[in-house]
Amino acid sequence: MTDSKLIVDLRGRLIETLNDFWNAVREPCGLPDWFGRNLDACSDTIETRGISEVIDSHDILIVHVDQRGLFDGQRQEANVLAGIFDGEQNRLVVHGLA
């Protein structure tokens, strides 16, 4: 693979909670039913790989979200989630609303 990217664009979708985020990324990321739906499981999935064949088949994971709800800049769990993404192989891109 040469820099193949999995791009998950969640812009336009209101994500208020981590559960909303897990629901939004489950299908496009190919997360299994037994996925832990927590920050540790997310870290294992994108950093270590070996949990999702969809993610594993790409070199880079990019998730786009709007800067509202969970990602409005004031939620600690969003900051922790963003910290799981390394900014290189895995990116969480928060877009401001126009």
Side-chain angles (χ1 to χ4, degrees), residues 21-66:
F21 181 78
W22 307 136
N23 291 338
V25 298
R26 182 178 176 266
E27 185 177 329
C29 288
L31 299 175
D33 290 337
W34 50 265
F35 175 73
R37 297 174 67 91
N38 61 61
L39 296 168
D40 289 335
C42 183
S43 177
D44 290 345
T45 302
I46 66 174
E47 290 180 18
T48 308
R49 309 281 171 135
I51 293 173
S52 164
E53 291 180 14
V54 173
I55 292 174
D56 294 353
S57 67
H58 295 84
D59 296 314
I60 297 170
L61 169 63
I62 303 171
V63 179
H64 295 273
V65 296
D66 288 325

Side-chain angles (χ1 to χ4, degrees), residues 6 8 10 18 21-22 25 29 39 42-43 45-47 49 55 60-65 71 77-94:
L6 173 59
V8 178
L10 303 176
L18 282 175
F21 181 78
W22 307 136
V25 298
C29 288
L39 296 168
C42 183
S43 177
T45 302
I46 66 174
E47 290 180 18
R49 309 281 171 135
I55 292 174
I60 297 170
L61 169 63
I62 303 171
V63 179
H64 295 273
V65 296
F71 301 101
E77 53 273 327
N79 294 333
V80 174
L81 176 62
I84 292 171
F85 290 80
D86 63 15
E88 295 176 25
Q89 181 182 14
N90 306 295
R91 300 178 202 143
L92 178 66
V93 181
V94 180

